[in-house]
Amino acid sequence: MPKIAYRAKRFSPDRQDKIDKANVIIAEYAAQGYELTLRQLYYQFVSRDFIANNQREYKNLGDIINDARLAGLIDWEAIVDRTRNLQSLAHWNSPASIIDACASQYRIDKWADQPYRVECFLPDTPVVTRSGLIEIAALHVGDEVLTHTGHWHKVTKVIRNDYNGDLLRIKPTGCLPIGVTPGHPFWAARTDKQKPGYKGADRKHLAVSWCPSQDLSRFDLLAIPKLPKRLPLPAELKLVGGPRSDAYTLKLNRNSLCAIGLYLAEGSVRPDGRTVQFTFGAKEQMLEDRVILWAKETGVNYSTVFGSGTRIVYVYSKAIAMWFEQEFGSGAWNKRFPGWLFTAPVADQMDVIKFYFLGDGSFWDESRSSCRATSRSKILAQTVHFLLLSADYCACIGQALDHGEPIYKVEVNGASAVKLAEFFEVQIPTRGIGRSQRYNYARKGVNETQIPIRNVQTFSYQGPVYNLEVEKDHSYCVPISAHNCWIEKDALIGVIENVCKELDIAYFSCRGYTSQSEMWSAAMRLQRYRKGRQKPLVLHLGDHDPSGKDMTRDITDRLSEFSEGTIEVRRLALNMSQITQYHPPPNPAKITDSRAAGYIAEFGGESWELDALEPAVIATLIRDAVFTVRDVDKWVAQQLEEDTQKAQLEKVSNQWKNIINNLE
């Protein structure tokens, strides 16, 4: 346990006494296998009469703990922030070690055959952020993501879970498939089954609402919101390649946007780190001329080389080479849009996309009018596809193999292709446009584009899955609009998580009153358990204060309103019997709360926080509640089966070298 000193500090006898007492409490929690939040440590001080129960003492204790850590007197890992957790990839020393990990993570759904049922995305799923499209596994707390309402809101938590079971592969028309756990809600317009016989654009749909993923089916419409208010590009940039390099003033005009588009299509940074190479076909002199025009305007040296079927332009500038590599990536697999360009005005983005298509695209084919471009960079292709939809072009994206490697094709067809070609100043045949309307499948609205589902399939998956908690709108875009995913308080997630994993039950933080959409989704999920002849049971833990008590009532009423029949909701904590038994320190009831009058009339002028209960007490409450509804015989039988199969995986891991030798 690390106690590392970074500053020399002296403490008064009173502050030193508090540090010593904090270390005693930390040791007690560690002996029980628990970590502490600052809030829990504070309540331990209050309950032991070390300090008074008020905000001033809470702040003062926080200052003492911070100073004591810096002085090396308190373990840096002893006080945790459970709302901010670093996510990282798993690593394995050998194939045998991953088999061994499979053995430890192997789980049977032991609740599947129980009478009761007590209650994410793949790591490479792209999320629309203010910095562009970023894989969900790479996001952090504080990143701003696009929500289903078309606003930017911050991520408040990144959730990573290990998953072993069936996932859904949802394939929207003209989009790459999305891998998602059953039950994850999407912002969708369901097909109206009461109005059959309509086809294509005439098909009838219900109002848009949050819909669990496993209830989605072919022809339902998924929503992709458009980017909100755009930010203008700076007029110019100052680029410096190093202490000995000359500074360049790069004007962000149409010539620069042209060069960016051609770099995304045909550019790379040479190994010397100071040369940008543009490679064109023998007949693409116009593109070569545009790069030369930009180089002259920027005031950098360049040269041209003509090879067998190619025209190459070299631009010499360390500053510009570093800028291209840092902002747009280098190498075919790593190209991307930077955040400042992703949120730029549509006209500027379309200038970049125009030359990206001219440099790496083709126009029309024998069957239909078409504009298409290819890329080995998945993120770049997905970004271009998303921006074209935001600009009201009916674009689609697909994946193919080229020499065994994936390649991604962005395509605009039919009448939408003719419109795009006019912007590109490219002539394409317009024959058959009337018959090509089927390619314009998207329904374009003012704030979003609706895409019909082509199919939904099930596949097996074992590995990590991710979800986000997002402030205010509680949603994010992948780029389809999705909802984020009961305990009232984030600070207790660590306590709840351990016992819920032990009991194999799901949990989530309500963070106050649960949103209407999330409550509806929960009711739909619990109703499916009921249809499977299981009795859904919700265990609710919250503060004993005016709102905390009312939340249990609110959850019960709204779940019943959205369900066929009553769903049992048990208030597990904090109850007056537990307050009487465990004596957590009281706080004044919030008289500004609209529910305060009724609460004070029943319980008096004091309230109590759930954080003040010992973690072991909370864990025991949850275990006791679950044990009263669990069929022990079924549970034990499945546990034995799970243990047997884990043992088999362990044998495979232990014999890995022999297995490989036999294969050879």
Side-chain angles (χ1 to χ4, degrees):
M1 302 288 279
K3 291 183 179 180
I4 305 172
Y6 293 96
R7 299 179 189 172
K9 286 184 173 288
R10 300 176 64 182
F11 296 93
S12 67
D14 177 64
R15 291 169 73 89
Q16 183 63 53
D17 180 58
K18 286 184 172 64
I19 294 169
D20 294 340
K21 289 173 177 175
N23 278 318
V24 171
I25 296 170
I26 289 167
E28 291 174 1
Y29 267 63
Q32 300 177 65
Y34 293 110
E35 297 170 320
L36 271 166
T37 64
L38 179 61
R39 193 71 177 173
Q40 288 171 313
L41 179 63
Y42 163 72
Y43 275 120
Q44 287 298 312
F45 268 70
V46 173
S47 63
R48 301 181 192 202
D49 293 326
F50 295 159
I51 58 176
N53 184 17
N54 57 58
Q55 188 63 29
R56 180 180 177 182
E57 290 287 359
Y58 176 66
K59 183 180 183 305
N60 184 49
L61 180 63
D63 292 340
I64 293 172
I65 297 302
N66 286 338
D67 288 344
R69 288 167 121 181
L70 290 169
L73 300 180
I74 286 183
D75 188 331
W76 281 93
E77 294 179 352
I79 310 294
V80 299
D81 183 347
R82 295 195 179 108
T83 65
R84 296 172 177 86
N85 297 301
L86 176 68
Q87 306 295 326
S88 61
L89 298 177
H91 299 88
W92 315 100
N93 296 325
S94 67
S97 67
I98 195 170
I99 296 294
D100 186 51
C102 290
S104 64
Q105 296 178 21
Y106 179 75
R107 297 286 185 276
I108 290 175
D109 183 1
K110 294 184 282 293
W111 283 99
D113 198 31
Q114 289 284 327
Y116 280 81
R117 188 75 182 213
V118 188
E119 266 284 89
C120 294
F121 287 102
L122 294 177
D124 63 348
T125 303
V127 177
V128 182
T129 79
R130 196 187 280 273
S131 299
L133 268 65
I134 299 176
E135 292 183 355
I136 192 169
L139 291 178
H140 300 89
V141 171
D143 290 341
E144 291 186 280
V145 297
L146 183 66
T147 68
H148 74 290
T149 64
H151 295 91
W152 299 112
H153 288 308
K154 290 183 178 180
V155 174
T156 57
K157 190 170 186 179
V158 179
I159 304 166
R160 180 191 185 277
N161 291 307
D162 293 318
Y163 188 86
N164 185 4
D166 288 341
L167 290 183
L168 298 177
R169 181 181 285 110
I170 299 175
K171 177 65 172 70
T173 303
C175 299
L176 295 179
I178 302 167
V180 62
T181 51
H184 202 116
F186 285 88
W187 191 237
R190 302 291 307 281
T191 304
D192 190 346
K193 301 293 195 281
Q194 302 300 317
K195 295 184 178 180
Y198 294 93
K199 295 182 179 180
D202 295 326
R203 190 171 280 109
K204 303 301 179 183
H205 292 83
L206 303 174
V208 180
S209 64
W210 290 113
C211 178
S213 56
Q214 76 279 356
D215 292 345
L216 294 171
S217 58
R218 193 180 184 194
F219 303 128
D220 291 346
L221 297 175
L222 298 175
I224 301 179
K226 297 179 182 180
L227 288 175
K229 184 179 179 180
R230 309 304 184 100
L231 301 175
L233 294 178
E236 58 186 31
L237 297 173
K238 295 289 186 181
L239 306 182
V240 180
R244 297 183 180 180
S245 300
D246 293 332
Y248 288 101
T249 299
L250 179 65
K251 296 179 180 179
L252 280 181
N253 54 21
R254 290 201 68 197
N255 287 332
S256 294
L257 297 176
C258 157
I260 291 171
L262 293 175
Y263 177 82
L264 291 172
E266 304 287 8
S268 62
V269 175
R270 301 278 293 173
D272 63 6
R274 57 180 66 250
T275 306
V276 184
Q277 175 178 327
F278 296 85
T279 305
F280 304 113
K283 298 181 180 180
E284 295 180 321
Q285 184 175 349
M286 183 272 287
L287 302 181
E288 175 193 341
D289 292 341
R290 293 302 297 262
V291 172
I292 292 173
L293 176 63
W294 166 74
K296 289 179 177 179
E297 179 184 82
T298 308
V300 296
N301 295 325
Y302 68 91
S303 65
T304 58
V305 176
F306 303 102
S308 177
T310 61
R311 312 173 73 94
I312 301 176
V313 181
Y314 295 108
V315 175
Y316 306 105
S317 166
K318 185 176 181 180
I320 288 179
M322 286 179 60
W323 181 69
F324 270 117
E325 190 165 28
Q326 291 171 359
E327 297 293 310
F328 306 97
S330 185
W333 286 266
N334 303 312
K335 298 291 183 64
R336 62 182 179 272
F337 268 58
W340 55 267
L341 183 56
F342 186 73
T343 56
V346 173
D348 294 330
Q349 291 175 346
M350 289 304 298
D351 278 338
V352 173
I353 291 173
K354 170 182 177 178
F355 285 93
Y356 168 70
F357 267 74
L358 291 174
D360 207 7
S362 60
F363 302 93
W364 72 279
D365 62 21
E366 294 180 357
S367 61
R368 62 184 183 271
S369 301
S370 175
C371 301
R372 65 187 68 173
T374 58
S375 176
R376 294 199 180 276
S377 170
K378 183 178 181 180
I379 285 293
L380 175 60
Q382 289 176 309
T383 301
V384 172
H385 172 243
F386 177 80
L387 293 178
L388 285 170
L389 289 176
S390 276
D392 283 336
Y393 291 98
C394 189
C396 56
I397 182 173
Q399 177 181 335
L401 289 178
D402 179 45
H403 296 90
E405 296 287 345
I407 191 167
Y408 302 92
K409 178 175 64 176
V410 180
E411 191 170 1
V412 179
N413 297 306
S416 202
V418 173
K419 175 185 172 184
L420 187 62
E422 290 176 356
F423 173 77
F424 289 168
E425 300 176 299
V426 173
Q427 295 295 320
I428 63 173
T430 58
R431 62 178 181 274
I433 288 299
R435 298 192 304 275
S436 298
Q437 291 296 334
R438 67 180 184 276
Y439 297 111
N440 296 327
Y441 52 84
R443 297 190 177 194
K444 294 175 286 188
V446 176
N447 299 314
E448 67 180 22
T449 302
Q450 293 182 330
I451 307 290
I453 294 176
R454 185 173 182 178
N455 58 58
V456 180
Q457 299 174 331
T458 302
F459 68 101
S460 297
Y461 173 79
Q462 179 176 346
V465 290
Y466 288 81
N467 194 12
L468 306 175
E469 286 187 3
V470 180
E471 63 183 4
K472 296 185 179 179
D473 285 344
H474 305 293
S475 63
Y476 53 98
C477 301
V478 294
I480 305 297
S481 297
H483 202 279
N484 55 205
C485 294
W486 292 73
I487 177 171
E488 180 193 341
K489 312 193 71 162
D490 264 340
L492 284 171
I493 280 292
V495 176
I496 303 298
E497 180 180 27
N498 291 337
V499 67
C500 287
K501 284 185 176 179
E502 168 197 325
L503 300 170
D504 196 14
I505 57 177
Y507 61 92
F508 76 91
S509 172
C510 299
R511 312 184 84 194
Y513 282 89
T514 308
S515 67
Q516 192 82 321
S517 53
E518 182 61 34
M519 192 69 77
W520 180 86
S521 298
M524 298 301 102
R525 181 171 64 251
L526 296 172
Q527 190 129 313
R528 287 194 298 277
Y529 300 149
R530 191 199 300 278
K531 290 179 180 178
R533 298 187 178 180
Q534 289 180 299
K535 299 176 182 179
L537 170 64
V538 173
L539 304 176
H540 182 232
L541 298 94
D543 292 336
H544 197 290
D545 61 17
S547 290
K549 286 287 289 182
D550 184 64
M551 286 173 198
T552 307
R553 188 273 319 159
D554 176 71
I555 291 170
T556 305
D557 291 351
R558 289 200 284 162
L559 285 179
S560 298
E561 180 181 4
F562 296 139
S563 306
E564 297 174 5
T566 301
I567 290 175
E568 182 180 355
V569 179
R570 276 186 211 173
R571 182 176 176 86
L572 202 55
L574 190 60
N575 297 318
M576 188 54 73
S577 60
Q578 295 148 0
I579 294 168
T580 302
Q581 181 177 358
Y582 299 109
H583 305 289
N587 295 308
K590 297 177 182 177
I591 60 175
T592 55
D593 193 316
S594 61
R595 304 162 191 84
Y599 176 88
I600 293 172
E602 184 175 359
F603 301 107
E606 294 181 329
S607 63
W608 297 264
E609 290 198 22
L610 183 63
D611 309 60
L613 279 188
E614 294 278 355
V617 173
I618 295 175
T620 299
L621 290 171
I622 295 173
R623 287 192 191 96
D624 290 347
V626 171
F627 290 164
T628 62
V629 301
R630 196 170 70 179
D631 186 316
V632 178
D633 293 337
K634 289 181 178 180
W635 187 272
V636 171
Q638 289 196 308
Q639 184 66 62
L640 289 173
E641 181 181 351
E642 183 180 287
D643 291 343
T644 300
Q645 293 171 354
K646 280 185 177 180
Q648 291 173 350
L649 286 168
E650 289 170 354
K651 287 180 181 179
V652 172
S653 173
N654 294 334
Q655 296 296 320
W656 184 256
K657 289 184 179 179
N658 294 334
I659 293 171
I660 295 300
N661 291 336
N662 290 335
L663 290 175
E664 294 175 349

